[in-house]
Amino acid sequence: MGQKVNPIGLRLGIIRSWSSRWFAKSNFKDKLLEDQKIRKEVKAKLYYAGISNIEIERKMNKLTLNIYAARPGILIGKKGSEVEKIKNFVDDITKSEVSVNIREVNTPETDAQLIAENIALQIEKRTHFRRAMKKAAYLAQRKGAQGIKIQCAGKLGGVEMARTEWLKEGRVPLTTLRANIDYGFAESLTTAGIIGIKVWVFKGYVMD
């Protein structure tokens, strides 16, 4: 039996913080579902901007959305026009007063979520999965990642039998809590079926 744990969830409160930061005595369920809906719909609407993470902060009747993207210029738009569209879009989902902050991902080559989405896109375009994995691992290490692990699972190469393929470069100490492990997951919709891509990136130790 596998003993797999999400590396982000394992490190919450130790070296990682929560992506939703708020407290509710009542209506906890409604706010949680609202957060999930905001993340899902914003990601789907602005997928082309390379969104890595969406953080949500709530204070009284105010909601702050921090969007981390590889291409922030697309999200900001001309004179901030796109930010206003995002704000109006989120306003329709929530009853709170919304403010949006766009943050840039400095090195998208070492961001696990963006790596997984990039591999998924390449597989959809008929690139061989092993080639896409090797290229992603090479770029991540070149940009400063100390280690990377990639898993692709499904009907790889359009074959009838589903299988799992791995690629590991460098060190990825998953059980060390002070190790800064970034984790990402994406799905590639191919004609043979869905292929799941998981990526673990080791960015060094948090010594503080």
Side-chain angles (χ1 to χ4, degrees):
M1 250 176 94
Q3 303 294 320
K4 296 169 194 72
V5 177
N6 187 305
I8 294 170
L10 182 67
R11 288 165 178 80
L12 282 178
I14 300 166
I15 64 164
R16 293 289 294 245
S17 183
W18 284 258
S19 55
S20 286
R21 292 188 285 275
W22 46 268
F23 175 79
K25 284 186 176 179
S26 60
N27 299 329
F28 178 85
K29 181 191 76 173
D30 298 334
K31 287 183 179 178
L32 180 65
L33 291 171
E34 202 175 82
D35 279 11
Q36 287 180 334
K37 190 177 180 182
I38 289 167
R39 279 200 180 90
K40 188 179 177 182
E41 295 197 14
V42 168
K43 181 85 175 175
K45 202 175 177 71
L46 305 163
Y47 192 83
Y48 53 88
I51 294 173
S52 164
N53 188 25
I54 298 170
E55 290 181 349
I56 296 170
E57 295 176 13
R58 291 176 190 266
K59 286 178 185 175
M60 299 295 285
N61 291 325
K62 291 184 179 179
L63 187 145
T64 306
L65 211 63
N66 299 320
I67 303 173
Y68 293 82
R71 293 184 284 277
I74 294 170
L75 294 181
I76 295 164
K78 209 170 187 178
K79 295 179 181 177
S81 59
E82 292 300 317
V83 174
E84 284 301 316
K85 285 181 186 176
I86 296 165
K87 201 182 283 187
N88 295 334
F89 172 69
V90 177
D91 267 331
D92 294 338
I93 299 170
T94 181
K95 294 172 185 174
S96 307
E97 185 187 323
V98 179
S99 63
V100 179
N101 300 322
I102 309 295
R103 310 271 170 86
E104 186 180 1
V105 177
N106 295 321
T107 51
E109 294 88 356
T110 61
D111 190 285
Q113 184 60 38
L114 295 178
I115 292 168
E117 287 175 13
N118 184 33
I119 293 169
L121 197 66
Q122 287 185 61
I123 291 170
E124 281 180 13
K125 289 180 178 177
R126 305 286 179 96
T127 304
H128 195 268
F129 69 92
R130 203 170 276 115
R131 186 181 175 186
M133 287 161 75
K134 281 182 180 176
K135 188 181 176 184
Y138 169 73
L139 286 172
Q141 287 195 303
R142 196 173 145 199
K143 287 288 182 177
Q146 294 188 23
I148 182 168
K149 186 165 76 167
I150 304 169
Q151 175 198 304
C152 288
K155 293 183 178 181
L156 300 168
V159 296
E160 204 166 311
M161 187 76 78
R163 68 185 195 277
T164 303
E165 291 284 340
W166 294 81
L167 176 77
K168 189 179 175 184
E169 297 284 346
R171 294 166 58 241
V172 187
L174 293 177
T175 53
T176 309
L177 291 175
R178 61 192 172 90
N180 184 9
I181 305 283
D182 194 15
Y183 173 73
F185 172 74
E187 287 181 340
S188 181
L189 306 173
T190 66
T191 51
I194 292 175
I195 292 171
I197 298 108
K198 292 180 181 180
V199 177
W200 295 258
V201 179
F202 175 45
K203 297 182 178 179
Y205 292 107
V206 179
M207 304 305 289
D208 190 8

